[in-house]
Amino acid sequence: MTVVAVLSMKGGVGKTTVALGLASAAWDRGMRTLVIDLDPQANASMALEVTDAVFTTSDVLADARPGVAADAIVHSGWDDRIDVIPAERSLEHRTVVTGRHSALRLRTALATVPRAYDLVVIDCPPSLGELTRNALSTADLAVVVTEPSHFSLHGAREALEAVQVISDATNPGLRAKAIVVNRFDPQDREHLLNLRLLADEHGRLVYDPPLPTCSAIPASQRAVSPLHSWNSPGSRETADIMDDLLDFLLPPKREVRPMPNVSIRRYLT
Ligand SMILES: Nc1ncnc2c1ncn2[C@@H]1O[C@H](COP(=O)(O)OP(=O)(O)O)[C@@H](O)[C@H]1O
Ligand SMILES: [Mg+2]
């Protein structure tokens, strides 16, 4: 079980796209996955066709009793392998700090819930405020999403600093695992320059390859379909990148040692 938070300071860079792309890769291989929508804009909830849920992440954070998040889990419109804790507009009211352990409310509310899943993906809002701090306090891994533009590079640095702060303060198990560069165009000199600057600053943290612009991404999201079920030119390339990214994030499979060629029974008789 791995909990991944997808974050960036900026909106529209591809957080929800990467969160849904990972969920799609997990869906494609039959993994049990929970998507937690922590953005009041609720884009992930819409793309997973959950718009009329009884409870949302706003209720979960307001309540925050251990394990209460289980009540807010619903099946997605993809199918019942992908579950969701959806968001709603009123989640905006949870962006302020409430008490000493404010950033731990999500983690407390989830309690043992993540163990029921192979993968938990948290889609963050476009800020590094209290909602994102809750995501980072819950996650094992942080994935920062950025576009290859000048200002986005600054945003990536800020996001990594936010990860470090939470890792130092409340969640020592948290690790920044990848910076995913989205909408990369290798013909664009500005993109190439910014990719170079990003790699100079963050080295191997910059995930290779970057994600290209791909029309299947908005199309599949609009149609409430996993990217991996989409059949159009370019969708396969993007789905493959998501597969590799998921492999990169998941812990390596433990080698199954062959059984020794002796039976313990002979020692028991
Ligand atoms: N690589 C891409 N190619 C084409 N469209 C993209 C790509 N990445 C994101 N989009 C589209 O851009 C918009 C913003 O992306 P989104 O993932 O919602 O950003 P964020 O969650 O950071 O606000 C969405 O409509 C999404 O479908
Ligand atoms: Mg989003």
Side-chain angles (χ1 to χ4, degrees):
M1 184 273 304
T2 306
V3 182
V4 181
V6 183
L7 74 151
S8 80
M9 215 170 137
K10 222 165 163 271
V13 295
K15 286 177 295 301
T16 301
T17 293
V18 169
L20 291 172
L22 289 171
S24 176
W27 170 85
D28 192 48
R29 53 183 91 166
M31 289 169 63
R32 294 269 300 132
T33 302
L34 175 66
V35 176
I36 302 176
D37 193 348
L38 271 192
D39 185 351
Q41 293 176 87
N43 294 158
S45 308
M46 290 175 210
L48 292 164
E49 209 171 34
V50 183
T51 48
D52 54 355
V54 179
F55 298 116
T56 67
T57 42
S58 180
D59 305 305
V60 167
L61 289 171
D63 186 320
R65 274 174 300 152
V68 75
D71 297 342
I73 296 174
V74 290
H75 289 323
S76 76
W78 286 5
D79 74 17
D80 57 12
R81 284 197 301 262
I82 308 291
D83 288 349
V84 191
I85 303 180
E88 63 176 322
R89 193 80 217 181
S90 69
L91 183 57
E92 269 173 352
H93 303 309
R94 312 282 163 235
T95 54
V96 287
V97 178
T98 48
R100 259 183 67 221
H101 301 297
S102 181
L104 295 175
R105 294 177 81 85
L106 179 66
R107 185 158 108 186
T108 307
L110 282 168
T112 57
V113 166
R115 286 191 215 150
Y117 294 93
D118 302 310
L119 176 71
V120 178
V121 182
I122 309 178
D123 188 22
C124 292
S127 95
L128 302 176
E130 198 60 4
L131 292 172
T132 296
R133 281 195 287 274
N134 265 279
L136 293 174
S137 300
T138 307
D140 306 306
L141 304 174
V143 171
V144 172
V145 183
T146 183
E147 286 183 330
S149 70
H150 176 63
F151 292 129
S152 296
L153 301 193
H154 175 70
R157 192 180 309 135
E158 300 270 326
L160 289 173
E161 279 170 18
V163 173
Q164 192 59 51
V165 167
I166 295 293
S167 156
D168 291 344
T170 52
N171 187 6
L174 173 69
R175 217 153 44 98
K177 185 74 178 177
I179 301 172
V180 174
V181 180
N182 187 24
R183 291 182 203 268
F184 179 71
D185 174 5
Q187 309 298 327
D188 187 322
R189 292 171 65 92
E190 185 67 20
H191 284 195
L192 288 167
L193 171 69
N194 288 319
L195 186 68
R196 168 71 48 81
L197 290 172
L198 205 58
D200 285 350
E201 184 170 347
H202 304 291
R204 293 169 67 88
L205 207 53
V206 181
Y207 188 73
D208 186 17
L211 277 171
T213 296
C214 163
S215 61
I217 287 175
S220 61
Q221 291 168 356
R222 203 177 312 114
V224 191
S225 296
L227 182 67
H228 287 67
S229 72
W230 205 252
N231 251 329
S232 76
S235 65
R236 193 61 251 166
E237 182 194 355
T238 310
D240 285 349
I241 295 174
M242 293 300 182
D243 283 336
D244 291 344
L245 180 62
L246 182 61
D247 282 337
F248 178 69
L249 297 178
L250 294 177
K253 284 208 181 65
R254 242 177 286 149
E255 230 177 88
V256 182
R257 292 233 201 116
M259 289 290 284
N261 207 9
V262 285
S263 161
I264 57 166
R265 279 181 207 292
R266 69 194 231 200
Y267 300 109
L268 301 176
T269 50

